[in-house]
Amino acid sequence: MSHGIKSIPGKIFDIDSRAEFERCAVEVFRFQAENCPPYAEFLKYLDLDPENVDSLAGIPYLPIEFFKSRRVYVCNEEPEAVFTSSGTTGSVSSRHEVADLSIYIESFMRGFEYFYGSPHGYVIFALLPSYLERQGSSLVLMAEELIKAGNNGGGFYLNNYDELILNMEKASRDGKRILLLGVSYALWDLAENYTLDIPNLTVMETGGMKGRREEITRKELHDILSNGLGVDRIHSEYGMTELLSQAYSDGDGLFRCPPWMRIAVRDIYDPLDVRYSGGKGGINIIDLANIYSCSFIQTEDLGILHEDGSFTVAGRIDHSDIRGCNLMIAE
């Protein structure tokens, strides 16, 4: 692609320091400030000259709502994929046009490997009924590729829980490590109707009650899932349509990012007041894999940023639209 930034995709997945992340982020910012029309207009509204920005502290974050109302896209060529949010009845879906699908695939593959090792070490089962029933889900594509890269077996399941359990038990008897990736309400349904005892099982929830069950705290949900599914802790994945990267938690709702992704928090009453070293507020995300859309996103989630860069999702900002990927409210 002739975008003057060809070298960046190769760089971002090899970032190994905060200084290198910041250099890359400033380079991506200047590219997007010049080539992404909604972002350029947003910066103009803020009366900001991109040439004067030389650090993270000077980079503004685009409100995530722009993905519902504007085309947040850089390339001249047509996108290779278009991801859409699931939304709820009557709501407007977000659209994320992806110029180069290989960047998304490399991002989630490397992100998974960063936290869990090679997917080939797992038999991966995906319990994503509502996502399978529609088009444009980035989560379904991620699960599909992870399943293919995993150990023999695995696959997608809708509501065929008996078959799912039989196949997980078989993989366990064969001595394989098992990953069950599921939307929250489907895992809850499974835990409510079955009691599992499957060695080598890791359960990962992706959020998403979608109005199917009552909203409860993440801790309450994880307690239900742990008891019913026979595991000590529940892992979580934090991602969204507007991002090409994901953060992961191996328990207790404490998320960590891969090296090319970073969290900040903002004052909800002054969105330009951003902190990078701890605090509570609206979650801002830098996702350098979003090279051909916008890497600097102001989300509608509330969070707590810890000094080591990990974070906790603390709920939703009041008056924000309810989205299909709405996460459980943390205690």
Side-chain angles (χ1 to χ4, degrees):
M1 294 183 183
S2 56
H3 304 293
I5 199 165
K6 283 183 177 181
S7 62
I8 288 293
K11 287 181 185 178
I12 65 169
F13 299 120
D14 293 326
I15 289 173
D16 61 5
S17 70
R18 285 292 179 91
E20 190 174 0
F21 179 94
E22 184 156 356
R23 285 194 299 271
C24 228
V26 170
E27 189 175 352
V28 170
F29 163 73
R30 289 180 174 167
F31 169 70
Q32 292 175 346
E34 181 180 351
N35 294 284
C36 180
Y39 195 38
E41 291 175 28
F42 180 66
L43 298 176
K44 185 176 181 181
Y45 176 80
L46 296 176
D47 196 24
L48 184 143
D49 182 354
E51 291 301 317
N52 294 332
V53 174
D54 58 6
S55 69
L56 290 184
I59 297 178
Y61 291 77
L62 186 73
I64 201 166
E65 285 292 301
F66 275 70
F67 283 86
K68 293 183 178 180
S69 60
R70 298 292 301 275
R71 192 184 194 206
V72 184
Y73 190 64
V74 168
C75 294
N76 294 321
E77 295 91 342
E78 287 301 303
E80 292 185 359
V82 179
F83 296 138
T84 57
S85 61
S86 50
T88 55
T89 302
S91 67
V92 178
S93 295
S94 293
R95 284 174 55 88
H96 189 179
E97 300 186 34
V98 181
D100 186 347
L101 201 53
S102 70
I103 295 174
Y104 176 53
I105 294 172
E106 184 166 8
S107 180
F108 68 66
M109 283 293 187
R110 288 210 185 201
F112 186 91
E113 289 173 0
Y114 185 80
F115 292 105
Y116 293 97
S118 170
H120 187 68
Y122 298 83
V123 182
I124 301 172
F125 297 86
L127 189 57
L128 306 170
S130 54
Y131 292 84
L132 284 173
E133 293 162 355
R134 68 177 185 85
Q135 298 293 316
S137 169
S138 57
L139 178 59
V140 167
L141 176 60
M142 181 178 82
E144 182 177 39
E145 293 296 324
L146 288 173
I147 288 168
K148 287 194 294 188
N151 209 324
N152 292 332
F156 286 99
Y157 291 80
L158 287 169
N159 302 309
N160 43 342
Y161 296 153
D162 290 333
E163 182 184 356
L164 168 66
I165 293 169
L166 285 173
N167 288 333
M168 289 196 298
E169 289 175 339
K170 180 180 183 305
S172 178
R173 288 195 298 271
D174 292 340
K176 297 176 180 177
R177 299 169 69 189
I178 302 155
L179 173 63
L180 174 59
L181 176 72
V183 65
S184 298
Y185 77 83
L187 291 174
W188 190 350
D189 288 345
L190 180 66
E192 201 169 55
N193 290 286
Y194 297 85
T195 300
L196 305 189
D197 182 15
I198 301 176
N200 302 321
L201 173 63
T202 297
V203 178
M204 181 184 294
E205 55 95 359
T206 67
M209 283 300 177
K210 298 175 60 61
R212 305 292 182 106
R213 303 293 296 256
E214 64 268 28
E215 295 285 350
I216 60 176
T217 68
R218 175 175 271 114
K219 184 179 186 306
E220 288 171 331
L221 173 68
H222 285 197
D223 285 346
I224 292 170
L225 298 184
S226 294
N227 291 334
L229 304 180
V231 294
D232 293 334
R233 56 176 49 207
I234 302 297
H235 295 233
S236 304
E237 178 259 353
Y238 180 82
M240 55 188 71
T241 299
E242 300 86 354
L243 302 177
L244 296 186
S245 301
Q246 302 78 33
Y248 290 96
S249 165
D250 63 3
D252 302 320
L254 187 66
F255 290 93
R256 300 183 187 280
C257 297
W260 56 90
M261 179 183 181
R262 188 172 174 185
I263 300 297
V265 290
R266 68 185 185 276
D267 186 319
I268 60 173
Y269 301 108
D270 180 6
L272 298 181
D273 181 4
V274 178
R275 298 183 60 178
Y276 290 91
S277 59
K280 183 175 183 178
I283 292 178
N284 288 357
I285 298 176
I286 302 175
D287 180 5
L288 296 182
N290 275 22
I291 297 165
Y292 299 119
S293 55
C294 184
S295 291
F296 310 94
I297 306 293
Q298 183 187 116
T299 80
E300 294 167 346
D301 292 327
L302 284 169
I304 301 168
L305 176 63
H306 305 286
E307 293 296 336
D308 64 355
S310 63
F311 69 101
T312 305
V313 180
R316 299 282 288 174
I317 296 174
D318 289 345
H319 310 303
S320 295
D321 289 342
I322 298 172
R323 295 186 347 177
C325 62
N326 192 13
L327 297 170
M328 298 300 93
I329 298 172
E331 285 192 325

